[in-house]
Amino acid sequence: MDKRIFKSRLSENDKNLIGRVLNTVKKMQVVEALVVIGSVVKDLYVQGKSGIDLLLLKKESVSDLDIIRELSQKNMIFEKYDDIYMLKDTLLSIHIQSYDNYIEYLTSILDLSKTEIEVKEWTIGGVCSDVILDDISKGIIFCDKRKKLAKLANKTGTHYYFDNEFKDILIKQLNKKLDLTRNEYEERNYLLFQVGFFECIEIVERIYCHEKRSYNKGFKHVAKESEFLNKYKLTFLNNSQININDMQETLKFISSQYGV
């Protein structure tokens, strides 16, 4: 097993669990690539709270269920949640994709064809494509038979790929969302205003990461950073009671920063 797994914050039980799953999956003929991603490789793992995330890329001719059935024969029972499979009674998950399709997807992210936030039932705030690049750049690749994934991982791991076109796209998204959110405030629909506020903040978080020339490690992680909270006057969010007027003032400040 990679030494980064041994040096991670995983408990001995979780290290044994991930080792057993990795060794089993790696031997499957239909598996083209296997990567550990997520909190474990970002040094953000919290015992009992963080998931253990595996990315499995398979041959195109094989279905997800073929893989899940084969794992069940090894007494590993996985249950489907949205687009991931969770190992029963654990926090270990496997995201299964076809190899060529996933390489094409990663390429589309680098080409800025995929900048939208995707809503997923297993996370709050949706999934940003730029977070996937952070995962790939830091991921531990246990096998990659075609070497295409390793090439992309090296590309994203050695330098920051996006230019200011990415920021321009995000600012346009922010502009539209701010307009909608301000309208809800003016109409005193404060419930939708609050939803819009946090959608605006999520876009701002992506801009913040870009300005730091780093791939987005995830909204839930960046939102805890004092530098981010201070920069955008968001420290009031740490209080148990959040004031609508404070939210409105923060949006005004963000508008002044990005000219929207």
Side-chain angles (χ1 to χ4, degrees):
M1 191 185 301
D2 190 284
K3 63 182 180 180
R4 283 181 287 175
I5 296 294
F6 285 114
K7 291 181 178 179
S8 69
R9 302 175 187 176
L10 288 167
S11 67
E12 288 304 313
N13 286 338
D14 282 344
K15 287 178 183 177
N16 292 334
L17 171 66
I18 195 172
R20 183 165 66 93
V21 174
L22 287 170
N23 288 333
T24 300
V25 173
K26 193 165 61 171
K27 294 174 184 176
M28 298 169 66
Q29 294 297 315
V30 297
V31 174
E32 295 288 338
L34 181 61
V35 190
V36 179
I37 57 175
S39 299
V40 172
V41 298
K42 297 178 184 184
D43 197 29
L44 295 169
Y45 180 82
V46 178
Q47 180 65 36
K49 293 184 178 180
S50 300
I52 301 172
D53 306 317
L54 306 182
L55 171 65
L56 187 161
L57 303 184
K58 61 181 178 63
K59 293 181 178 179
E60 279 66 24
S61 59
V62 179
S63 72
D64 294 4
L65 288 179
D66 289 334
I67 293 172
I68 297 304
R69 289 193 191 102
E70 187 170 343
L71 288 171
S72 69
Q73 294 172 3
K74 306 291 186 181
N75 295 319
M76 297 180 189
I77 308 303
F78 283 85
E79 300 172 337
K80 188 169 186 179
Y81 292 89
D82 197 353
D83 61 352
I84 62 174
Y85 293 88
M86 295 288 301
L87 180 60
K88 189 175 180 180
D89 299 325
T90 75
L91 293 176
L92 186 145
S93 69
I94 295 180
H95 181 55
I96 303 176
Q97 291 287 321
S98 297
Y99 191 95
D100 284 338
N101 287 344
Y102 199 74
I103 296 299
E104 183 178 337
Y105 174 62
L106 291 177
T107 302
S108 71
I109 296 172
L110 292 171
D111 291 342
L112 299 179
S113 300
K114 297 282 185 182
T115 59
E116 305 85 1
I117 296 175
E118 298 181 60
V119 176
K120 298 293 182 182
E121 66 182 45
W122 46 266
T123 188
I124 294 175
V127 174
C128 301
S129 58
D130 26 316
V131 175
I132 297 170
L133 295 181
D134 187 62
D135 278 314
I136 296 301
S137 68
K138 296 174 180 174
I140 301 173
I141 299 178
F142 278 82
C143 72
D144 181 14
K145 296 175 182 176
R146 304 192 207 176
K147 306 301 181 184
K148 293 180 181 179
L149 183 65
K151 184 177 180 180
L152 280 170
N154 182 65
K155 175 187 264 189
T156 56
T158 54
H159 74 285
Y160 183 74
Y161 190 86
F162 292 134
D163 57 22
N164 279 333
E165 182 183 354
F166 181 55
K167 182 177 179 179
D168 292 341
I169 290 171
L170 293 178
I171 289 179
K172 286 180 182 178
Q173 292 178 359
L174 178 61
N175 185 19
K176 292 177 182 178
K177 193 66 67 174
L178 279 168
D179 283 344
L180 290 171
T181 304
R182 282 190 290 247
N183 287 339
E184 297 301 338
Y185 182 86
E186 291 170 2
E187 294 177 10
R188 298 186 179 182
N189 191 341
Y190 296 129
L191 177 59
L192 283 182
F193 168 76
Q194 290 181 75
V195 173
F197 172 84
F198 286 106
E199 289 184 358
C200 289
I201 298 306
E202 187 166 14
I203 299 172
V204 168
E205 180 264 345
R206 299 174 77 189
I207 296 172
Y208 167 80
C209 292
H210 174 74
E211 290 177 341
K212 290 173 67 71
R213 307 293 293 172
S214 64
Y215 293 114
N216 189 349
K217 60 186 175 185
F219 188 34
K220 68 178 181 180
H221 299 302
V222 178
K224 296 177 182 178
E225 296 180 0
S226 58
E227 180 184 348
F228 171 71
L229 295 173
N230 288 325
K231 180 178 174 66
Y232 296 105
K233 302 186 182 300
L234 292 167
T235 53
F236 71 92
L237 293 176
N238 287 325
N239 300 326
S240 59
Q241 294 183 343
I242 299 174
N243 189 290
I244 291 287
N245 292 328
D246 288 337
M247 298 168 77
Q248 176 71 340
E249 289 303 312
T250 292
L251 291 186
K252 288 179 181 178
F253 174 75
I254 289 170
S255 295
S256 69
Q257 291 295 297
Y258 296 107
V260 292

